[in-house]
Amino acid sequence: MSKPKSFFKALTETGPLIALGTALAILVSIAGPASAQFFNFPGFGGFGGPPQRAAPQPHRGGGWFGGDFFAPFQQQQQQQQQQAPRQDFSRAPAPAKRDTIPEKNVLVIGDAMADWLAYGLEDAYTEQPDMGVIRKHKTTSGLIKYQPRGEPSDWAVAAKGILETEKPDVIVVMLGLNDRVAIREAAPDKSDKASDKDKKNDKGARAKPQGKPGDAKPEDKPAADTDLPQDDADNADAPSAAAPERTARNPNGLYEFRDDNWVELYSKKIEELTNVLKAKGVPVLWVGLPAIRGPKGTADMLFLDSLYREGAGKAGITYVDVWDGFVDEAGRFLQKGPDFEGQIRQLRSADGVYFTKPGARKLAHYVEREITRLLAGRSGPIALPSEPATPDTSAEPGKPAPRPLAGPIVPLVAASISTDQLLGGPGSRPAAVDALAAKTMVKGEPLTAPAGRADDYAWPRREVGREQAKGDTPMAATPPRRRCSSQCIGRSRCGRRDCAAQARAEEAAGTATAAAARAGNAVIP
């Protein structure tokens, strides 16, 4: 029996040594570049080569042996992010080209919010070729500053230039997102200061006495100014009413957002813009701002909306409130919610400020119905067809004239009152109401139930079909019965059916009377 070889002798043989050396060479050739890449060992795979000094890198943490194992993957992700274009939600899609020229145009001015509103109105008027939308917006503009440099400097001046070239039927304004900044009050003009100084000097000269104090006499009191009315002359010496107090002016004229002076200056800018738009003589709508993401942004939008609502009320224009359409029941910002058809959609963009297509369509829904109402109230006079001036040759003398080709045209959507009147107020025409509907729906009186119905509570009971209406002449249901002539021998022997039937009825009545008399009852025939 052969003795087994020892482990040392087996390893010293030629075959195992060759296999072991080959495996080590393959392992080193693979592990060398990998270790140099992942473990930051520059000279590991050089096998005695000169060590290379690695460039210092910021410590990212989480690597093996002081290196960063995920560095290649992070670099690849950063490259992909740099290559991907950043989406700008402040710009709505461009308007689609229309084949027909609209009869009526809606001019939309404002900032990026107005751009999305115009996009929603264009989608709403897709099936109405007679309605068009004109976009005149400035994405980063506001009432405080229209653009950083150049002219025009504010929206009031810009609106004048726009209205000189455009002829809209309705004007819609939506802006204010970029107005949450400080506002600078314009410095007073030097000429104004000089005129104020001259007025003060003239006032002091008039107040200075011309003679000695003792020389004044009671009858020397200066007479009232004859150029003033009597009431003003009597009150010339009275102190004027005190002007409303205002916060002290900042030396540099700069006021922060929400300050009292800021509110006063901003309200003046709202008034300037509304006056410019109203001068065009068409309906003007001011659309409020919706909520944006974050409690501070939502509070700022509410604050600005209160100023817009107040300014629209003073100017007599329509204010469109869209707040409830983009908040939940608790009044918080709503990213996803029901669209104008009630379907749950993504309403706002990823930045929490602007809109998606369903959100823009919902925003336009609030404005669209107000535009429809205002345009219906401003409908022009209806042109009625007139008879031809030349006489009709086909008309025959002595006969009525032929009927006209068309009758009068009555508008079904025209309002009977103007936009500044209340329904049912003084000066409005009463609406034509059916008498029966007014009796039941307005006065609340019940209708008279027909005879014999379950809710007919009249007493004595009325028989169905026998009670005649009041004022109607009773009509005989059957022709009158003919009497027998004097030549009739006897009703029982008469050949007529009427006489025979009458005879049988009288005989039956007499039999019943006789039976009742025998029973002791008094019967009145």
Side-chain angles (χ1 to χ4, degrees):
M1 184 174 180
S2 61
K3 187 177 180 181
K5 296 180 180 180
S6 64
F7 180 74
F8 179 75
K9 289 183 177 182
L11 292 178
T12 56
E13 291 181 357
T14 308
L17 286 175
I18 294 174
L20 182 61
T22 304
L24 288 174
I26 294 174
L27 180 63
V28 169
S29 63
I30 295 175
S35 63
Q37 179 179 2
F38 293 106
F39 299 103
N40 295 330
F41 293 160
F44 186 79
F47 295 104
Q52 299 178 0
R53 186 174 182 180
Q57 297 181 0
H59 177 68
R60 296 186 181 92
W64 293 350
F65 304 104
D68 192 352
F69 181 77
F70 299 99
F73 306 102
Q74 292 177 352
Q75 293 176 0
Q76 184 179 4
Q77 184 178 5
Q78 292 176 1
Q79 292 177 359
Q80 292 177 356
Q81 292 178 355
Q82 292 176 358
Q83 293 176 359
R86 184 178 179 182
Q87 188 173 1
D88 186 9
F89 297 104
S90 63
R91 300 183 183 275
K97 186 177 180 180
R98 305 185 66 171
D99 299 333
T100 60
I101 299 176
E103 298 178 0
K104 299 180 180 180
N105 291 307
V106 179
L107 175 63
V108 182
I109 63 175
D111 53 12
M113 290 288 188
D115 190 15
W116 280 103
L117 173 60
Y119 172 68
L121 286 174
E122 290 167 356
D123 186 70
Y125 293 139
T126 302
E127 299 180 357
Q128 301 182 30
D130 59 331
M131 294 295 297
V133 179
I134 303 174
R135 299 194 198 184
K136 292 294 182 180
H137 67 281
K138 191 79 171 177
T139 302
T140 59
S141 65
L143 280 178
I144 297 178
K145 188 175 290 295
Y146 177 77
Q147 56 187 358
R149 295 178 181 178
E151 295 292 336
S153 58
D154 58 0
W155 257 110
V157 180
K160 289 181 181 179
I162 294 173
L163 294 178
E164 288 177 357
T165 57
E166 302 294 342
K167 296 181 179 179
D169 297 276
V170 180
I171 302 175
V172 180
V173 187
M174 187 177 185
L175 47 73
L177 185 65
N178 304 308
D179 286 337
R180 295 173 292 168
V181 294
I183 187 172
R184 185 180 297 276
E185 184 179 10
D189 194 3
K190 295 182 179 180
S191 59
D192 297 339
K193 290 183 178 180
S195 60
D196 294 342
K197 186 176 181 180
D198 295 339
K199 290 180 181 178
K200 291 181 180 179
N201 294 336
D202 295 342
K203 186 177 180 181
R206 288 196 301 268
K208 187 180 295 183
Q210 299 297 331
K212 296 181 181 180
D215 297 340
K217 298 180 181 179
E219 60 271 16
D220 293 337
K221 182 178 180 180
D225 193 351
T226 55
D227 295 337
L228 295 176
Q230 185 62 31
D231 296 340
D232 296 342
D234 295 341
N235 299 329
D237 296 335
S240 59
E245 295 184 0
R246 180 182 174 187
T247 309
R249 185 182 182 277
N250 198 337
N252 57 4
L254 191 65
Y255 304 103
E256 296 297 330
F257 178 58
R258 289 177 179 261
D259 288 349
D260 294 339
N261 291 338
W262 189 97
V263 172
E264 182 180 352
L265 296 175
Y266 195 75
S267 300
K268 289 182 179 179
K269 290 186 174 293
I270 296 175
E271 183 180 359
E272 291 175 1
L273 181 57
T274 53
N275 291 337
V276 171
L277 300 179
K278 286 176 58 180
K280 190 65 176 178
V282 297
V284 180
L285 291 84
W286 194 297
V287 184
L289 296 174
I292 62 176
R293 182 183 297 164
K296 184 180 183 302
T298 301
D300 291 344
M301 297 299 104
L302 272 176
F303 174 73
L304 291 173
D305 283 347
S306 64
L307 300 180
Y308 301 145
R309 183 183 291 106
E310 182 180 358
K314 291 181 179 179
I317 62 176
T318 303
Y319 176 77
V320 183
D321 191 354
V322 301
W323 185 265
D324 293 338
F326 299 95
V327 294
D328 57 8
E329 297 179 354
R332 295 170 297 194
F333 170 79
L334 192 65
Q335 184 83 20
K336 181 184 294 186
D339 61 359
F340 80 103
E341 293 180 341
Q343 302 295 327
I344 302 300
R345 301 288 183 85
Q346 188 83 10
L347 302 178
R348 309 300 291 272
S349 56
D351 57 1
V353 178
Y354 301 105
F355 301 91
T356 61
K357 183 176 181 180
R361 181 63 183 86
K362 184 177 183 179
L363 175 66
H365 176 68
Y366 289 92
V367 184
E368 177 192 4
R369 60 186 184 185
E370 292 294 332
I371 293 175
T372 304
R373 180 183 64 85
L374 292 174
L375 291 180
R378 292 175 58 88
S379 59
I382 305 298
L384 300 178
S386 58
E387 294 294 334
T390 58
D392 191 359
T393 57
S394 61
E396 298 180 3
K399 292 185 178 182
R403 298 179 60 185
L405 298 177
I409 300 175
V410 180
L412 300 179
V413 297
S416 60
I417 60 174
S418 60
T419 56
D420 56 348
Q421 289 181 341
L422 295 177
L423 185 62
S428 60
R429 300 193 304 268
V433 182
D434 183 44
L436 185 61
K439 178 181 178 182
T440 56
M441 305 300 293
V442 179
K443 298 181 181 180
E445 299 179 2
L447 295 176
T448 304
R453 204 167 68 178
D455 58 345
D456 180 23
Y457 304 114
W459 189 260
R461 298 287 296 175
R462 299 179 296 174
E463 297 184 12
V464 179
R466 290 195 177 184
E467 183 179 356
Q468 301 292 334
K470 295 181 180 181
D472 295 343
T473 304
M475 302 293 293
T478 57
R481 182 181 298 173
R482 294 181 296 177
R483 298 288 182 181
C484 292
S485 61
S486 59
Q487 299 176 358
C488 183
I489 302 173
R491 291 182 178 177
S492 59
R493 298 180 181 179
C494 183
R496 295 183 178 181
R497 292 183 179 180
D498 296 341
C499 293
Q502 185 176 359
R504 287 194 299 270
E506 291 177 357
E507 184 179 357
T511 304
T513 303
R518 287 194 298 271
N521 296 330
V523 178
I524 300 175

